[in-house]
Amino acid sequence: TMSLREHALSLFYGAVSTIRPAPMLRRALKLQRGGCPQLLVKDQAFPLKRDLYLVGFGKAVLGMAAAAEEILGDHLTRGIINVPLGIQESLQRAGMQEMLLKPHSKIEVIEGARNNLPDAEALKGAVAIQELAEGLTADDLLLVLISGRGGSALLPAPIPPILLEEKEKLTKMLASRGAAIQELNIVRKTLSVLKGGGLAQLAHPAQVVSLILSDVIGDPVDIIASGPTAASSHSVKDCLQILTKYNLLHNLPKSVQTVLSSSPTKPTAPENYSHVSNIILGSNTLALEEAKRQAEGLGYAALVLSAAVQGEVGRVATLYCQLIQLLCLGFTSLREGPPCDELKGSLLQLAAELQIPGLDLEEFLQALRGLGPDRPVCILSGGETTVQLQGTGKGGRNQELALHVGLGLHKAQATGASSPQGRCEILFLSGGTDGQDGPTEAAGAFCSPGLVAEALQEGLDVEAFLRNNDSYTFFSQFQGGRHLLVTGLTGTNVMDIQAILIRAK
């Protein structure tokens, strides 16, 4: 029989393949030629009256653009895309030709945003996109490809007099204080020309069709890549609240103060977005649906917990550990009684504190009870956790989460003399769908309940590595790195995927 590890890998790769740019675009985008050519996107039709232009920004946009140009053919007049520095070379090296543009492409590629930070090259690309949008007429159609990951850093055009370095420094300070991606995007948006609907307004009166690969919980189009083609649901007031929350209000550059004080704090008359269609092509939810299909094909009773898991890694790890304990009690037919009730109470409280959007844990636990006691179980979830940096180590949120889960399972085993874990085979996997977790070449990591004890035998102290945010070094040294999830670049990104696999021993 396949190991749990092989099953977990199969689910992860299945989920990622369904949200790769080329297959995703081919499923959604068609060109109807003939008398009145039109662009068909999912179930919507957009007439091509005159010229069709394409712009894009973000990590997965190169692959999206290559597929789009193939579909659009000679109907495409011109395109400009802003993609991460070195991505063409990386994809070339990885042999991913289908993600690259053809030699005589009509699409200009600008590479920038080294280390996912806005820079002069990214600004150059943003200005080129801005100029293209400003020159459009009512008969033109602008196809906008948006890949959430990296999209925001690749569209930096700060409102004058703010300098790019000043905006970047402010974003860095917020990130280092633990600001969530949504909060970072609200601040970036408030200080930008193109974000928060700016691009759509500049392109008016042209028809704007945005195809979006979401990397944000709940897929809010005004937040993904800072919402360049969506009406902003946030105001200057929200930006000021975030800066206050992280104690940065009195640390702002003069230029940022100028822009914030001259912007109206009350929402102005809503701008017109009737010329815009925003369409989500890929998301964490879609990836999890595919993983569930794969798990069921492998004989698992599979359930999706949530596509919106968020919160500090240690707390989220506790949630997963308690869920695993509860599942193991089910396998040992201890579904009722004090240990079960205690765990449930603790789980419900933790879920309430984490405020995971749309999660009805009561309902989920009810569904769990309905699973047969003999079938292997797979619990899937996705989203994006946050890490509070305290140490100087190397890692990423997925590796740190896996390490925390390993530690939590070890502690649960150590405290419960008749721990039900002993009767189950358990594997936990957490991985980033883009194939990169933090500044490492790993996408994430695996763990099982024996990880901490085995690490101690190798002289590795898990808690010390966690204190130093050094999960990558731990996994690299532990058992020759075999617990690292290394996929290589995937060319896509819809946040992270976690899988809990449990079967009776």
Side-chain angles (χ1 to χ4, degrees):
T1 58
M2 283 169 77
S3 67
L4 290 187
R5 179 196 173 91
E6 286 167 321
H7 283 170
L9 277 171
S10 164
L11 303 182
F12 187 79
Y13 281 116
V16 167
S17 68
T18 200
I19 40 113
R20 278 186 192 271
M24 198 175 65
L25 256 111
R26 287 192 200 106
R27 280 196 306 267
L29 185 67
K30 304 268 183 293
L31 182 73
Q32 199 176 63
R33 297 168 191 277
C36 299
Q38 29 183 18
L39 198 60
L40 304 175
V41 186
K42 290 190 170 177
D43 50 2
Q44 299 180 55
F46 303 96
L48 296 178
K49 298 175 199 161
R50 203 177 86 163
D51 292 337
L52 169 57
Y53 294 90
L54 180 152
V55 297
F57 27 90
K59 219 174 201 176
V61 153
L62 192 61
M64 289 167 82
E69 186 164 27
E70 213 172 278
I71 295 162
L72 302 172
D74 50 11
H75 276 277
L76 179 64
T77 306
R78 178 177 166 229
I80 301 171
I81 58 171
N82 236 7
V83 295
L85 189 70
I87 195 160
Q88 292 177 98
E89 196 192 327
S90 302
L91 292 169
Q92 192 95 46
R93 262 205 320 268
M96 295 167 83
Q97 297 309 119
E98 78 282 1
M99 307 281 256
L100 296 166
L101 296 169
K102 300 282 182 286
H104 303 293
S105 170
K106 290 180 184 168
I107 300 171
E108 180 190 349
V109 181
I110 296 168
E111 291 194 359
R114 180 194 293 275
N115 300 328
N116 199 25
L117 293 167
D119 55 20
E121 284 306 302
L123 180 59
K124 182 181 127 187
V127 169
I129 288 171
Q130 180 180 340
E131 286 169 356
L132 185 150
E134 285 170 335
L136 300 178
T137 72
D139 289 336
D140 293 324
L141 188 144
L142 179 65
L143 187 64
V144 184
L145 305 177
I146 300 177
S147 155
R149 178 63 71 227
S152 199
L154 285 159
L155 206 63
I159 297 170
I162 300 173
L163 298 175
L164 190 58
E165 302 78 72
E166 294 174 324
K167 194 172 133 191
E168 188 186 335
K169 190 177 167 197
L170 181 59
T171 309
K172 261 186 176 164
M173 280 160 73
L174 277 166
S176 71
R177 295 186 186 196
I181 182 75
Q182 288 89 332
E183 295 176 314
L184 292 176
N185 281 347
I186 289 167
V187 173
R188 285 177 183 139
K189 228 167 33 173
T190 312
L191 306 176
S192 295
V193 175
L194 295 170
K195 293 168 182 169
L199 177 60
Q201 291 306 318
L202 289 173
H204 185 272
Q207 173 78 59
V208 177
V209 180
S210 277
L211 306 182
I212 303 168
L213 182 64
S214 168
D215 71 326
V216 180
I217 281 169
D219 311 329
V221 290
D222 65 311
I223 298 281
I224 301 162
S226 302
T229 57
S232 178
S233 57
H234 298 101
S235 64
V236 172
K237 195 170 153 208
D238 297 310
C239 176
L240 292 169
Q241 274 174 345
I242 292 163
L243 294 170
T244 306
K245 176 181 170 182
Y246 294 103
N247 215 6
L248 285 170
L249 206 49
H250 305 297
N251 241 349
L252 299 174
K254 197 108 200 94
S255 59
V256 174
Q257 288 175 10
T258 304
V259 167
L260 288 175
S261 59
S262 61
S263 303
T265 44
K266 292 190 174 56
T268 45
E271 291 164 310
N272 183 1
Y273 285 86
S274 59
H275 64 300
V276 184
S277 297
N278 287 306
I279 300 159
I280 301 272
L281 287 196
S283 66
N284 193 272
T285 302
L286 282 170
L288 289 175
E289 279 168 13
E290 180 58 26
K292 180 175 188 275
R293 218 172 58 78
Q294 303 257 346
E296 286 167 348
L298 291 166
Y300 286 85
L303 287 173
V304 173
L305 174 71
S306 166
V309 172
Q310 57 186 16
E312 197 274 317
V313 279
R315 318 261 302 135
V316 173
T318 305
L319 182 84
Y320 286 138
C321 287
Q322 291 179 350
L323 205 46
I324 289 167
Q325 293 288 101
L326 203 56
L327 281 163
C328 287
L329 285 171
F331 271 102
T332 50
S333 303
L334 297 172
R335 286 171 179 255
E336 308 303 333
C340 224
D341 297 340
E342 211 172 295
L343 263 174
K344 268 189 203 162
S346 171
L347 254 173
L348 289 165
Q349 190 185 336
L350 186 53
E353 286 168 17
L354 284 168
Q355 296 181 329
I356 295 168
L359 173 62
D360 184 342
L361 194 61
E362 282 276 16
E363 194 183 305
F364 180 80
L365 295 176
Q366 201 57 42
L368 266 189
R369 287 184 57 138
L371 302 178
D374 306 320
R375 276 180 78 188
V377 175
C378 171
I379 305 288
L380 294 156
S381 61
E384 200 161 272
T385 55
T386 45
V387 174
Q388 292 269 290
L389 289 178
Q390 289 159 324
T392 55
K394 191 175 179 184
R397 59 182 180 264
N398 289 287
Q399 294 163 79
E400 187 150 325
L401 178 60
L403 200 50
H404 268 292
V405 168
L407 181 63
L409 293 175
H410 171 75
K411 285 182 172 171
Q413 222 164 9
T415 52
S418 60
S419 171
Q421 269 179 217
R423 288 167 243 182
C424 295
E425 204 185 337
I426 301 164
L427 183 93
F428 176 80
L429 160 75
S430 187
T433 52
D434 61 349
Q436 284 178 309
D437 188 32
T440 74
E441 89 278 4
F446 301 90
C447 78
S448 54
L451 175 122
V452 174
E454 289 162 21
L456 282 170
Q457 288 173 346
E458 291 187 29
L460 300 172
D461 176 354
V462 167
E463 297 196 57
F465 281 100
L466 279 171
R467 275 196 300 276
N468 195 30
N469 297 112
D470 205 12
S471 53
Y472 175 73
T473 306
F474 168 82
F475 281 115
S476 301
Q477 292 177 3
F478 177 57
Q479 294 184 353
R482 71 175 296 273
H483 283 69
L484 280 172
L485 171 65
V486 182
T487 62
L489 270 185
T490 63
T492 189
N493 190 316
V494 292
M495 300 184 289
D496 306 331
I497 286 177
Q498 281 97 41
I500 296 169
L501 302 185
I502 297 190
R503 63 185 177 195
K505 276 186 178 169

